[in-house]
Amino acid sequence: MIEFKNVVKQYPNGFRAVDDLNLLVPEGEICVLIGPSGCGKTTSMRMINRLISITSGEILIDGQPNTELPAEELRRQIGYAIQQIGLLPHMTIADNIALVPRLLHWDENRIRRRVDELLELVGLDPDISRDKYPRQLSGGQQQRVGVARALGADPPIMLMDEPFGAVDPITREVLQAEFLQIQERVGKTIIFVTHDIDEAIKMGDRIAIMRDGHLVQYDTPDTILAHP
Ligand code: ADP
Ligand code: ADP
């Protein structure tokens, strides 16, 4: 469970990107965060895993303020996938996916098994992909690797910031459907940022609509469609 309580983020230049945000994401649900560019979606995500600090208020992870969790614990609990993918170009696909498990000191046999399992989960053939470099894969394949990497150490929480934003519409639909299948099997607590209302309705158990740094509506897709 992830809970934002009166969260404010004021950047050093004085701009309040997030302004009194309250949001509760129950365990095992996909919460889609949607809203115009600049409304504070990415800022909110980055505060959860402490890539940026919170100005005031708090973010609770399973009831505990995230500021009290050691960095390694945050890494274990939270996977992060972003539109820019961010695969390291000089590392193989396997090494990219193994990043967090290695930081968590998994042994190499377990890491190898996990990499192959994840490649299969996201629909890539491990024997073909494992030793390639990111530039040798298509954009859609790289996006799959980005999701596999975020799932690396099997975190109970996933933050997904337009994870399928960099691919063509057809690949995007395939990735959405596959991701929902994965979610049915693994049941994680997910915050999923998108600009695309169709994607929001398809992916979300609930949809959180943000504007100017706070929530303006938070409901199931059905309710939002009925009362837009
Ligand atoms: P979204 O993800 O909804 O597009 P962001 O969270 O990226 O929005 O940004 C929210 C607002 O905060 C934007 O107006 C952005 O320009 C501003 N912003 C983001 N990072 C910084 C920063 N480091 N310093 C000042 N303003 C920032
Ligand atoms: P993203 O959408 O992934 O947040 P951005 O292009 O919004 O990417 O931001 C890239 C970087 O620039 C981030 O570190 C963000 O904090 C910073 N940034 C964004 N907007 C501003 C701004 N108005 N002033 C200063 N830094 C900003």
Side-chain angles (χ1 to χ4, degrees):
M1 190 182 77
I2 307 166
E3 188 172 7
F4 283 73
K5 287 173 101 170
N6 308 107
V7 172
V8 173
K9 175 63 187 183
Q10 181 160 333
Y11 281 112
N13 66 358
F15 183 76
R16 278 198 173 209
V18 171
D19 196 3
D20 200 24
L21 178 63
N22 288 284
L23 173 68
L24 195 156
V25 183
E27 184 145 358
E29 287 200 1
I30 302 182
C31 167
V32 169
L33 203 52
I34 194 167
S37 193
C39 71
K41 303 181 296 294
T42 297
T43 300
S44 302
M45 302 276 262
R46 287 180 176 160
M47 282 189 284
I48 299 173
N49 55 13
R50 294 216 315 252
L51 290 178
I52 56 176
S53 62
I54 301 169
T55 305
S56 65
E58 57 183 3
I59 297 176
L60 307 176
I61 309 235
D62 294 328
Q64 207 180 351
N66 70 342
T67 48
E68 286 173 12
L69 295 166
E72 182 162 310
E73 188 57 28
L74 284 174
R75 223 177 265 140
R76 193 192 316 280
Q77 290 212 28
I78 304 175
Y80 190 36
I82 57 175
Q83 174 175 4
Q84 297 81 357
I85 311 173
L87 299 179
L88 299 172
H90 303 298
M91 280 192 187
T92 63
I93 298 308
D95 286 339
N96 267 285
I97 294 174
L99 272 177
V100 171
R102 285 216 171 95
L103 287 169
L104 297 175
H105 314 295
W106 288 25
D107 81 64
E108 284 298 319
N109 284 324
R110 183 176 172 207
I111 289 177
R112 214 167 300 134
R113 282 196 305 274
R114 180 66 179 155
V115 165
D116 285 2
E117 177 183 82
L118 284 169
L119 284 169
E120 277 174 18
L121 193 67
V122 298
L124 295 170
D125 183 335
D127 291 332
I128 295 173
S129 326
R130 190 189 293 124
D131 297 321
K132 287 197 168 158
Y133 289 86
R135 66 171 181 283
Q136 297 174 287
L137 302 185
S138 72
Q141 289 170 329
Q142 290 186 39
Q143 206 113 60
R144 288 163 196 260
V145 175
V147 172
R149 184 177 59 179
L151 288 163
D154 200 16
I157 294 172
M158 295 275 285
L159 306 179
M160 308 190 71
D161 197 342
E162 297 192 70
F164 311 140
V167 294
D168 63 89
I170 293 172
T171 306
R172 178 182 258 225
E173 285 211 10
V174 172
L175 290 174
Q176 288 167 347
E178 287 179 356
F179 188 76
L180 286 175
Q181 276 179 9
I182 294 173
Q183 171 65 357
E184 251 176 47
R185 267 180 286 163
V186 299
K188 296 184 183 293
T189 305
I190 297 172
I191 300 185
F192 189 108
V193 169
T194 181
H195 283 293
D196 175 353
I197 186 74
D198 292 329
E199 184 165 74
I201 289 163
K202 195 185 295 181
M203 305 297 292
D205 293 303
R206 285 165 212 255
I207 299 178
I209 303 178
M210 265 185 100
R211 195 182 306 141
D212 298 336
H214 59 269
L215 273 198
V216 292
Q217 199 176 358
Y218 185 40
D219 247 313
T220 61
D222 287 347
T223 311
I224 284 183
L225 284 174
H227 310 279

